[in-house]
Every structure is written in C-alpha cells, then in structure tokens.
Amino acid sequence: MATALYFLCPLLIMMMLFITATANKSIEEAKQFQSLSSSTLANRLSENDELRHEHAEDDPEAIASMVAMSIRNSTERRKLGYFSCTTGNPIDDCWRCDRHWVRNRKRLADCSIGFGRNAIGGRDGRYYVVTDSGDDDPVNPRPGTLRHAVIQDAPLWIVFKHDMVITLKQELMMNSFKTIDARGVNVQIAYGACITIQFVTNIIIHGLHIHDCKPTGNAMVRNSPSHYGWRTMADGDGISIFGSSHIWIDHNSLSNCADGLIDAIMGSTAITISNNYFTHHNEVILLGHSDSYIRDKVMQVTIAFNHFGEGLIQRMPRCRHGYFHVVNNDYTHWEMYAIGGSADPTINSQGNRYLAPVNPFAKEVTKRVEPWEGSWKHWNWRSEGDLMLNGAYFTASGRAAPRSYARASSLAAKSSSMVGTITSNAGALSCHIGYQC
C-alpha cells in the first residue's frame, strides 16, 4: 500500500498542478426489415472567415507540454488501477464505486446522461452469457454466440464468459432492448463485419474493443428468431445506427475501420456517445445521412466525456440538420479539423479541451461544408467555456437563439479545466471482480 501511494502521490500532484494552471487560463423493420438493406437503402432514399477564439493561448508550446504531461499521467493512473469516486464524471460516479458491480450490472442502465439517457437496453430481461466466439452461420447462429443473443425478441443483458475475439462474417443485426456488457473481460469485435443498429430501440453497448471492421454483405442475415433477409453491401462502420432511437454507446475503444467508427443516420435520435476512446481513423463520427434528407432534423445527439486521441483526421463529429451537444470531451489530436457540418445543424460546444495540431493550417476546430458562400453564417454554432490550446480556434456563427440551443442542450457542462480528469478513463475499462471497476 505504501509503495502504491509513493508512486501515486507525484502523479496526483502533477495532475492537480495541471488543473490549477488550466483553470486560470479559461474556463446521436421498415416493412419488416425491408429486405435488410442498410447503407444501400439509405442511398436509394436520398441522395474564409477566420475568427480567432478570444481565449486562445499565447504560449502554445508550454500549454501543449502541460497537456501531454496530463495525458501521460492519466495513462499511468490506468496502469496502476487507481480510481477515485470523485471524478466529476456523472456516469462513472454513478456505478464505478461499487466493488460488487458484477452482482449489480444492471445498475448501469440508470447511469446514462444526455439525449440517450432513457435507453434502458436489456435492463428488464434476463442475463445471457456468451460462451462461443464463433460466427459460422449468420442465418442460423448457434446458441451461446453473440449473434444468437442479439437477435432474440425478449430483452436481454448480454455478458461474456471469458476474453474473446469475435470476427463476424456479416453485420451483427441487433434486436431492440439489448445491452452488450463486456465489463470484466476483453472482448474484441474485429477483422470482419461489425455492429448494425437498424429500425430498433433501446440499445446499450458498453466495454467493447471495436476495430478493423470491413465491408461485408450480399448475403442472408438473421435479425430476429422469425426473420432473415438479404443484406446488400455495408460500408464497414464500427457501429452503424440507422432509423433507431434511445441508443447509448459508452466506454468503448474504437479504431481503424473501413468507413466510420460510429455513424447515425436516417432519422436516428435520442443518442448518447460517451466515455469512448477513439484513435487511428479518418472519418470518425457521422451524424446525419445527407443534406437533402430532412428527416434528420429530429436528431438529437450528446457527445460527452470522450477522448479523441492519436491518429485521427476529421469528423469528431460531422453533423447535419439536427441538434448536437458536444460537451466535456478531450480533443488531443486531429489532422484536418475536429467538428464539421452542413445543412444548418445546431452545434453547442461546451467545456471541451481542444489541442490544435502543429500544422499552422489546421488550427481551426470547425469546418463547414456549405452549398453557397456565406450560408453558414446563419447556422447556430457556438463555443462556450471551451479551452483552446496551441492556437486552436472555433468559428462561431448564428444568432445564438435560446430556443435553438435549448434543443441542443442535454446536461450541465463541467469546467474545461476538469476535462483531463473526467476523460482519463475513456475507452473500454479494465474491471476485476471484487474491486471497483
């Protein structure tokens, strides 16, 4: 115990120094599954003004160095298994202090925040234990496999018996009222197809490592015990949300997929994407199908407490039409831009930490794709309490209409000085039975 405290104290002191320093600097079945077409169905259905932020730092090299130190300290804390119940992260503080979390797994369903806060997943169903990592037959999956679990009609809370790498032959088509809970084991969805949430509701996905997803399709796939159908080619998203609602994606690690890491399109809404760790990818998150698909005006998505890490290029997220609350995230890497959009979305950026890259031409947080010059000036985009580092700046626009931002507000933002602490455990957690997670 003394040895652990010996190593922890310097780390905690450095973290407190960083928080103090930065605090002083500023403060998201048509027709019985409609033959199960996903992205191809979507395609059939449709398809420089630089304002430097007033809180941009004058000494970017010093601040960048402090941020790098904070990130290293957070990583070391993870390795040591250190955890405090007073993180300021309302999701984690809701359940992670309980060392009997294994007996109380379903408590997680009461901990969501933001627009996806009413997603209950499989809370009201029985437990289903995945014992088999195989995926030999997407039409007739074996009992004990993840595919057999997610297609069932009844609510289920799905857990895993042991560590496993699941390489899916075809998209994992989820049925409503399901929770995938990988706490306590290392579960990877990788090297094949990945997860599709289409025309369903009440889904929770927690604790997965999702990476190296590939395009699949032109095959038959089952989505319920009573129905299967033809899947055309899918893009290779990590998680694809299509015409669905009440979705919560929390504490997953996602990287290196063929298309997006998370896409939500075609009228999907009531979504929270929280506590995830995104790395090594180009187009990270897409929210909204196309500029012409106006049904996405109903979309409300919360992006909270995520860490956008190394090797990311753009779309964190890229938004269309709807209402998007981007709150208390840590942006430590991007190559082109962080947040973009088109078709008049409302973007409410609050309490985030934006660390710009070294490239002097990529300092702007925002990017607008506009049909004609100057149209973006009417879009309601604002930055409130964000911390801008290494020359980062956010180009605000619109009239800051209270009604618009009320529809793009889903929780109270914490100070940007707390972001390092709030997001220090983003990604899939390393949980052990009998200990706080």
Side-chain angles (χ1 to χ4, degrees):
M1 183 66 177
T3 303
L5 290 173
Y6 176 81
F7 286 105
L8 283 172
C9 286
L11 295 171
L12 293 172
I13 291 169
M14 285 190 289
M15 192 57 153
M16 292 173 65
L17 289 172
F18 170 74
I19 291 171
T20 301
T22 53
N24 292 332
K25 284 290 183 183
S26 77
I27 316 275
E28 180 217 8
E29 232 148 300
K31 279 191 174 181
Q32 280 288 344
F33 207 53
Q34 196 76 348
S35 70
L36 293 170
S37 58
S38 58
S39 301
T40 301
L41 173 59
N43 292 333
R44 292 205 306 268
L45 290 172
S46 64
E47 237 148 274
N48 226 343
D49 229 345
E50 291 193 353
L51 303 176
R52 181 174 177 80
H53 193 279
E54 61 180 341
H55 299 305
E57 297 294 336
D58 294 325
D59 188 2
E61 291 186 4
I63 296 298
S65 176
M66 293 172 66
V67 171
M69 181 182 72
S70 171
I71 295 167
R72 286 196 302 271
N73 291 344
S74 297
T75 301
E76 290 304 315
R77 271 215 329 274
R78 284 190 201 176
K79 291 178 181 177
L80 290 169
Y82 171 82
F83 174 70
S84 169
C85 289
T86 57
T87 65
N89 184 318
I91 295 173
D92 286 0
D93 292 346
C94 174
W95 68 271
R96 287 186 60 191
C97 300
D98 181 7
R99 65 188 183 93
H100 301 299
W101 59 269
V102 173
R103 296 200 300 241
N104 303 316
R105 282 182 179 271
K106 292 182 181 181
R107 180 181 177 184
L108 179 68
D110 299 325
C111 297
S112 183
I113 49 87
F115 290 124
R117 62 187 175 275
N118 294 322
I120 63 171
R123 183 194 66 190
D124 298 333
R126 64 182 179 85
Y127 286 99
Y128 185 113
V129 181
V130 175
T131 58
D132 184 347
S133 65
D135 188 45
D136 296 335
D137 189 345
V139 175
N140 298 297
R142 290 194 303 269
T145 62
L146 179 59
R147 188 180 299 278
H148 185 267
V150 302
I151 66 170
Q152 300 305 311
D153 288 331
L156 290 175
W157 195 279
I158 302 164
V159 298
F160 300 83
K161 186 174 183 179
H162 50 72
D163 296 354
M164 59 182 69
V165 178
I166 300 174
T167 301
L168 298 164
K169 283 192 171 182
Q170 301 294 335
E171 295 167 274
L172 188 74
M173 305 299 302
M174 295 196 66
N175 208 340
S176 294
F177 294 97
K178 300 293 180 293
T179 297
I180 299 178
D181 177 3
R183 287 176 293 177
V185 288
N186 184 322
V187 177
Q188 302 180 47
I189 308 293
Y191 311 117
C194 285
I195 299 173
T196 297
I197 301 168
Q198 180 169 296
F199 302 131
V200 295
T201 188
N202 281 280
I203 300 293
I204 298 173
I205 298 176
H206 183 101
L208 295 175
H209 298 265
I210 301 172
H211 60 93
D212 296 285
C213 301
K214 303 183 183 305
T216 55
N218 291 332
M220 304 298 287
V221 183
R222 184 173 294 278
N223 73 304
S224 77
S226 60
H227 185 270
Y228 64 90
W230 182 257
R231 295 298 290 175
T232 54
M233 287 300 295
D235 295 333
D237 296 328
I239 301 175
S240 176
I241 306 169
F242 188 106
S244 299
S245 64
H246 300 297
I247 311 298
W248 183 25
I249 300 170
D250 184 61
H251 270 299
N252 302 282
S253 297
L254 301 99
S255 64
N256 195 37
C257 293
D259 192 38
L261 294 182
I262 300 175
D263 283 7
I265 62 172
M266 306 304 289
S268 297
T269 192
I271 299 168
T272 293
I273 300 170
S274 59
N275 291 313
N276 300 288
Y277 185 34
F278 300 96
T279 57
H280 303 292
H281 196 76
N282 179 6
E283 299 175 336
V284 181
I285 300 175
L286 173 65
L287 304 175
H289 172 57
S290 70
D291 288 0
S292 61
Y293 193 76
I294 61 174
R295 279 196 60 204
D296 281 332
K297 287 184 177 181
V298 306
M299 183 176 287
Q300 289 181 299
V301 182
T302 300
I303 310 288
F305 316 145
N306 302 284
H307 183 184
F308 294 92
E310 62 272 16
L312 300 180
I313 298 177
Q314 60 180 320
R315 297 190 177 185
M316 299 170 241
R318 194 257 198 247
C319 308
R320 290 184 173 105
H321 291 297
Y323 298 87
F324 307 96
H325 196 190
V326 183
V327 55
N328 290 144
N329 300 281
D330 201 5
Y331 291 83
T332 57
H333 297 77
W334 72 78
E335 292 187 21
M336 292 177 61
Y337 67 90
I339 298 174
S342 60
D344 192 21
T346 297
I347 297 176
N348 189 7
S349 172
Q350 294 184 304
N352 300 284
R353 183 167 66 176
Y354 295 107
L355 175 64
V358 174
N359 181 357
F361 302 104
K363 301 293 187 183
E364 186 175 4
V365 171
T366 51
K367 176 182 174 62
R368 289 158 171 91
V369 182
E370 53 185 331
W372 63 86
E373 185 176 359
S375 64
W376 63 266
K377 293 182 179 179
H378 303 289
W379 304 349
N380 285 324
W381 293 23
R382 77 171 175 187
S383 169
E384 185 175 72
D386 291 323
L387 183 61
M388 302 291 174
L389 306 176
N390 201 30
Y393 66 97
F394 186 112
T395 303
S397 62
R399 296 183 179 181
R403 185 175 180 181
S404 174
Y405 286 117
R407 295 192 65 182
S409 299
S410 57
L411 67 148
K414 306 281 186 179
S415 168
S416 58
S417 65
M418 297 178 64
V419 164
T421 302
I422 291 172
T423 65
S424 63
N425 290 289
L429 297 165
S430 178
C431 299
H432 301 282
I433 296 174
Y435 297 90
Q436 293 175 2
C437 193

